[in-house]
Amino acid sequence: MEPVSESVVDPDMEELFRLFLDEAAEGEGGNGTSSTEIMNLPAPGFRPTPGFRPSKQPLHYWIRDTSQKAFYLRDNRLVAANLQGENASQEEKVSVVPNRGLERKRCPLILGIKGGRQGLSCGTAKQPRLQLEDVHLTELFDKYEEAKRFTFFKTYNGSTHRFEAAAYPGWFLCTSAQANEPIGLTARLGEAAITDFYFKRK
Amino acid sequence: MATAVITCSIILVFISSVKAEECMVHDVLHSQSLVSVLVGEPLTIDCLLDKTLALQHMNYSLTWYKSGRKIPVTQVKLSRIHQHENLLWFMPAILEDSGSYECVIWNLTSCNKIYFNVIVFKNTAGLCFNGDFFYAQEIPASSNEKIVCPHLDYFRDEKNTLPIHWYKECNLIDNERFLNWNDDLIIISANVNDSGNYICKMTYNYMGKEYNISRNIYVTVIETPLKKKTEILYPRNNTIEVELGSSVIVDCNVSSFKDSSIGISWKVNNTLVNFLFMGRVQEGNQEDSFPDGYLFSTVTLSITEVKQEDYGRQFVCHAGEVAAYIALRQSVRNFQGYLTGGLLAPVFVIVVVILIYKYFKVDIVLWYRKSCRPFLSKEVSDGKIYDAYVFYPKINKVDCIYPPDNFVLTLLPEVLERQCGYNLFILGRDDLPGKAVVSVVDETIKQSRRLIIVLVPESSSCSLLEDIFEQQLVVYNALVQDGIKVILIELDKIKNYTNMPESIKYIKQKHGAIRWKGDFTEKSYSANTKFWKNVRYQMPSRCPTSSELHLLPTTLNSFQTTER
């Protein structure tokens, strides 16, 4: 009910949350919000298949750090570099599904790559470590606890975005100032590591 | 000796090439790594970009080969193409260098081979860049973001610190909006016109030679204006007053982005109102407008007839992730308003009446007497003969400035007696000769309803105190006797009362005085002048001020004619 304090929003996110949460809720809730659904009320006794939900695919976002480094996979590790010419085809887009178990206001996103077939996990150790896990983001959408290590709270200042690990508050997704270094997590904002990203739906 | 060295090296090369062929291909990118460079420019290739591989190969040995050649790339620094540590250097690259290169890493237990495909390209004819080999960079509009000159890592050192020059569409950038910042270019308030081909150029000194290094960057400035959050402008979690049984229409006003489609709905307890109230409460259609690039939407909630159960209920307008409610409250009569109005109105009326009475008191009373004359005339007689006893200074001296005789003996009887019908007693006119003045005065005052005291401004020659007995009696009656009203008439402004007797001062203070400013002209004979009205007001109610009296003739005769 409270108006959100952020004065700017990422329009891409509106779309994402609407697709995954609002419409999913309509499908499952039974109350329904779309008038067409109500018009075609099924006969009494009819119950929709439990868990029935229109299949949602992750949305894909183009990501660059503020040094214009793109993400790409090198030796099965996600690294960041400026990609020239044909190498640009190596660029990995970030696949995104909202985490519906966490406060929507904080923009909790389950991040992955390879079209949502690999998740960007912070691990489960005491100290977070970014790693790729073979997992389907669409499946994580239904698993609240399991999704947490893949979840990042995204903040937006109007031009760049920042991703804070949901399971490790104070830890942010980062790239190294040098090219071809792996993507990681840092707890030191404003130091050598780059924590601000351009992030746009493509 | 020389032969031995050559033989030894041939054997080493042979062994290593044999080893290289046996090496496992390490496919870091799942495709060939492409490295491209403009002809004539230096190029370095780092075999161990991925440091993990280096860590796996502790105490490793690394050798670069041009694919298809068995002899490794030389480590002699003066050679145009050479290996230096893990790097393959082209100083500079020529078109013929294009092709595949292999980096072979081995240690005691394993061997890995990584392929790199080098492309040496020329600039597009007529341009300072080749459109196929660029780094794509995007920055948001309206921001102060930077574009970067990439892959300079090996060319920036203590000997090579000269600033980078930036070109846009092959023209050197010389504009305040562009700032060189380290090896980056900051574009102040970027706009879509800043999109295009940028070249960054630097010179690199190596072994006493200068080389050019350039990068082609295609910049796209993306117009993403800051967008306002979806906001419900109304309701604001507020309560409105409505009467039971009345109909209510409430707007839900939402501002959002132009390109976002937010469903707006009215709900009660998270259920759409349309399905809760059998049509009594309905949601209207969404109406959109696009002022200022934003989307303003309105969805109405209409309640045809407010029922008791609606009070206190929260009607919630949902717009995407934001929501705001409105609640209804039974309207309470505005008691305060009524109270204020109810009190103020009479007070106002009273004030007005008082003001009117104050300023028109005399006229009102006179009008009342005239209107109610038939009733007043039926009054029971009070047993008195005279309406007023007129007391005035008896002055016979000619040098008196204000001789009261004219006023008392002519004007007073004319107006009060003839026009108004009062019965006056004037000593010297109405008393019978031979009678004792004292007893006459005493008796007459007792038979009078009013006591008119005429005062003249005191001068050396005019004195009030001439007739001492009469005055004493008059004052005695005025002060002591109850029931007789005193009318004090000044024949001119009396500035100084100090010489007057105390009794007169007291009477003046108690009853006030009416000042006669008139002369003996026609006008002064009218009973409707202010002066006479004031006198009449103080006289007992009797005077018939009929309208015909306004046209009074000035002379006594003509008046008498009219009277008849």
Side-chain angles (χ1 to χ4, degrees):
Chain A
M1 290 275 168
E2 288 307 306
V4 181
S5 56
E6 256 183 278
S7 60
V8 288
V9 297
D10 183 358
D12 291 347
M13 290 299 128
E14 296 252 312
E15 170 81 355
L16 177 79
F17 280 85
R18 188 176 60 77
L19 277 175
F20 274 87
L21 300 185
D22 297 342
E23 289 182 7
E26 280 168 25
E28 288 174 357
N31 289 331
T33 45
S34 95
S35 47
T36 46
E37 235 177 62
I38 301 301
M39 297 292 188
N40 306 318
L41 262 181
F46 172 88
R47 285 195 178 276
T49 321
F52 168 79
R53 182 166 39 81
S55 63
K56 305 281 188 201
Q57 290 306 309
L59 300 189
H60 306 296
Y61 289 76
W62 166 91
I63 193 165
R64 290 282 173 90
D65 71 9
T66 47
S67 286
Q68 297 287 345
K69 293 202 293 290
F71 290 10
Y72 75 105
L73 277 169
R74 182 181 181 86
D75 217 10
N76 289 320
R77 299 206 64 185
L78 193 62
V79 297
N82 300 97
L83 299 176
Q84 186 193 19
E86 282 183 45
N87 285 332
S89 60
Q90 302 279 332
E91 183 169 355
E92 277 293 336
K93 287 192 177 67
V94 174
S95 305
V96 180
V97 158
N99 184 319
R100 59 172 168 173
L102 296 170
E103 209 182 346
R104 179 169 174 170
K105 221 159 60 171
R106 299 189 65 189
C107 198
L109 306 178
I110 303 169
L111 301 184
I113 53 165
K114 289 187 174 174
R117 285 175 289 115
Q118 269 191 331
L120 240 64
S121 164
C122 300
T124 48
K126 198 179 169 194
Q127 189 91 341
R129 203 175 78 88
L130 199 73
Q131 58 205 49
L132 295 170
E133 282 187 37
D134 288 326
V135 63
H136 283 274
L137 259 53
T138 42
E139 288 170 14
L140 288 175
F141 180 72
D142 291 324
K143 295 171 183 166
Y144 297 83
E145 263 318 298
E146 212 187 318
K148 197 169 180 184
R149 69 175 188 275
F150 300 93
T151 304
F152 295 83
F153 293 122
K154 187 179 79 63
T155 51
Y156 179 47
N157 68 5
S159 70
T160 57
H161 305 256
R162 202 169 267 182
F163 301 85
E164 185 181 12
Y168 298 90
W171 287 84
F172 294 87
L173 197 71
C174 73
T175 57
S176 162
Q178 277 80 46
N180 297 301
E181 298 266 336
I183 314 294
L185 290 164
T186 182
R188 298 161 161 192
L189 279 177
E191 291 189 20
I194 300 165
T195 50
D196 293 327
F197 297 91
Y198 302 118
F199 189 70
K200 203 172 184 331
R201 179 137 179 243
K202 287 276 167 169
Chain B
M1 181 69 186
T3 326
V5 171
I6 292 164
T7 317
C8 192
S9 29
I10 288 169
I11 292 165
L12 263 173
V13 167
F14 176 75
I15 293 167
S16 55
S17 63
V18 168
K19 268 192 167 181
E21 275 169 10
E22 290 169 355
C23 278
M24 201 170 71
V25 174
H26 190 80
D27 190 3
V28 284
L29 290 178
H30 306 288
S31 72
Q32 209 160 26
S33 292
L34 289 173
V35 186
S36 38
V37 66
L38 180 65
V39 64
E41 293 193 357
L43 171 70
T44 58
I45 306 172
D46 188 352
C47 179
L48 294 180
L49 276 177
D50 190 356
K51 302 294 184 288
T52 50
L53 200 64
L55 289 170
Q56 283 167 25
H57 295 261
M58 297 290 276
N59 302 316
Y60 60 89
S61 164
L62 189 152
T63 313
W64 278 96
Y65 293 89
K66 173 138 191 181
S67 292
R69 291 194 191 173
K70 299 222 154 102
I71 303 167
V73 171
T74 178
Q75 302 214 0
V76 177
K77 277 195 166 187
L78 280 170
S79 180
R80 195 178 57 80
I81 302 174
H82 64 266
Q83 178 183 347
H84 178 60
E85 295 174 348
N86 296 336
L87 306 179
L88 179 64
W89 289 72
F90 296 80
M91 295 306 291
I94 57 169
L95 290 173
E96 290 72 27
D97 294 336
S98 292
S100 181
Y101 292 80
E102 301 161 30
C103 158
V104 180
I105 315 151
W106 74 87
N107 61 10
L108 292 172
T109 55
S110 66
C111 175
N112 286 100
K113 184 156 68 174
I114 303 168
Y115 282 99
F116 289 88
N117 194 16
V118 173
I119 300 166
V120 183
F121 61 86
K122 289 192 285 185
N123 279 341
T124 310
L127 288 176
C128 64
F129 57 86
N130 184 317
D132 291 333
F133 299 92
F134 62 86
Y135 294 87
Q137 299 187 7
E138 290 188 12
I139 53 169
S142 314
S143 61
N144 300 334
E145 301 293 338
K146 63 185 182 186
I147 58 174
V148 298
C149 191
H151 291 158
L152 298 180
D153 319 43
Y154 304 107
F155 305 111
R156 295 305 255 175
D157 52 37
E158 64 276 5
K159 287 185 213 158
N160 292 284
T161 53
L162 283 174
I164 287 170
H165 294 288
W166 285 87
Y167 298 79
K168 189 185 179 216
E169 311 299 346
C170 303
N171 298 314
L172 186 67
I173 291 171
D174 181 22
N175 189 321
E176 291 172 343
R177 283 183 50 244
F178 297 86
L179 292 178
N180 275 50
W181 181 259
N182 297 331
D183 290 348
D184 306 326
L185 179 73
I186 294 174
I187 307 180
I188 312 281
S189 297
N191 61 65
V192 281
N193 296 329
D194 294 324
S195 299
N197 280 292
Y198 286 73
I199 311 288
C200 56
K201 276 186 182 170
M202 63 167 284
T203 52
Y204 177 64
N205 267 297
Y206 184 77
M207 310 282 287
K209 274 189 181 176
E210 264 195 3
Y211 302 89
N212 276 330
I213 292 173
S214 67
R215 306 279 181 258
N216 173 22
I217 301 138
Y218 189 83
V219 174
T220 311
V221 179
I222 308 159
E223 196 76 72
T224 44
L226 284 188
K227 287 170 173 182
K228 218 154 62 69
K229 189 116 192 128
T230 299
E231 195 185 355
I232 296 180
L233 304 173
Y234 191 86
R236 306 289 295 179
N237 295 347
N238 55 317
T239 304
I240 53 165
E241 266 188 12
V242 287
E243 277 183 37
L244 194 66
S246 63
S247 66
V248 180
I249 292 176
V250 181
D251 283 349
C252 180
N253 294 324
V254 179
S255 79
S256 56
F257 317 119
K258 202 170 181 172
D259 52 353
S260 63
S261 54
I262 303 153
I264 302 172
S265 55
W266 281 97
K267 293 180 183 178
V268 167
N269 295 332
N270 231 11
T271 308
L272 286 175
V273 290
N274 286 13
F275 310 105
L276 276 178
F277 300 98
M278 313 288 284
R280 186 172 62 82
V281 182
Q282 283 278 344
E283 173 188 298
N285 289 330
Q286 183 167 334
E287 285 171 21
D288 295 333
S289 59
F290 299 93
D292 275 344
Y294 294 116
L295 168 62
F296 278 85
S297 313
T298 301
V299 173
T300 57
L301 171 83
S302 55
I303 306 173
T304 50
E305 187 190 353
V306 173
K307 294 201 167 170
Q308 194 64 45
E309 61 260 33
D310 293 335
Y311 294 121
R313 185 175 266 159
Q314 289 187 350
F315 295 89
V316 186
C317 175
H318 293 261
E321 61 182 284
V322 288
Y325 70 81
I326 192 151
L328 306 185
R329 186 174 61 202
Q330 193 150 16
S331 62
V332 185
R333 300 247 176 243
N334 193 349
F335 281 119
Q336 204 185 346
Y338 282 110
L339 211 64
T340 318
L343 279 176
L344 278 182
V347 167
F348 178 74
V349 168
I350 288 166
V351 167
V352 167
V353 166
I354 287 171
L355 285 175
I356 290 173
Y357 184 72
K358 193 183 169 195
Y359 288 103
F360 301 99
K361 177 176 71 176
V362 173
D363 294 87
I364 290 166
V365 168
L366 293 179
W367 171 82
Y368 170 78
R369 284 181 191 166
K370 179 189 153 195
S371 316
C372 306
R373 201 182 162 200
F375 311 102
L376 290 169
S377 60
K378 286 171 191 166
E379 252 180 25
V380 183
S381 170
D382 55 2
K384 298 199 173 178
I385 299 164
Y386 303 104
D387 287 308
Y389 179 97
V390 182
F391 168 71
Y392 65 103
K394 315 291 181 303
I395 300 157
N396 297 320
K397 291 173 184 163
V398 264
D399 54 347
C400 187
I401 305 163
Y402 303 103
D405 298 26
N406 254 353
F407 176 78
V408 174
L409 298 173
T410 315
L411 201 54
L412 209 59
E414 165 57 28
V415 178
L416 292 185
E417 286 188 330
R418 295 195 199 282
Q419 292 184 32
C420 299
Y422 286 114
N423 190 16
L424 305 177
F425 181 89
I426 301 166
L427 195 69
R429 185 194 74 167
D430 300 322
D431 54 327
L432 294 171
K435 264 197 150 181
V437 172
V438 177
S439 58
V440 166
V441 170
D442 190 34
E443 281 169 23
T444 320
I445 286 176
K446 286 191 172 72
Q447 288 170 342
S448 301
R449 295 185 183 90
R450 297 286 185 273
L451 180 58
I452 296 175
I453 300 173
V454 179
L455 297 176
V456 290
E458 198 180 357
S459 62
S460 55
S461 50
C462 294
S463 173
L464 181 70
L465 311 169
E466 203 108 317
D467 204 333
I468 197 80
F469 292 118
E470 189 189 5
Q471 187 204 334
Q472 280 177 347
L473 275 167
V474 163
V475 167
Y476 169 79
N477 278 286
L479 295 177
V480 181
Q481 286 280 88
D482 265 350
I484 186 153
K485 276 188 186 167
V486 180
I487 303 170
L488 211 57
I489 296 174
E490 296 174 357
L491 285 194
D492 201 344
K493 187 169 173 66
I494 296 174
K495 286 170 190 156
N496 196 357
Y497 264 82
T498 43
N499 291 334
M500 290 284 180
E502 282 300 320
S503 52
I504 296 298
K505 283 185 207 168
Y506 176 77
I507 292 166
K508 151 88 179 174
Q509 197 187 347
K510 193 181 173 191
H511 298 280
I514 305 166
R515 190 178 304 135
W516 187 69
K517 283 182 276 186
D519 43 25
F520 293 94
T521 56
E522 213 176 293
K523 207 181 162 192
S524 303
Y525 284 91
S526 167
N528 286 320
T529 59
K530 197 182 174 193
F531 170 78
W532 287 118
K533 276 185 180 175
N534 284 332
V535 174
R536 281 161 53 201
Y537 169 72
Q538 298 212 19
M539 288 296 285
S541 55
R542 166 159 305 186
C543 185
T545 42
S546 54
S547 56
E548 71 261 28
L549 292 182
H550 288 267
L551 308 164
L552 269 180
T554 50
T555 60
L556 241 153
N557 291 337
S558 56
F559 170 75
Q560 283 167 334
T561 320
T562 318
E563 185 79 350
R564 258 179 241 123

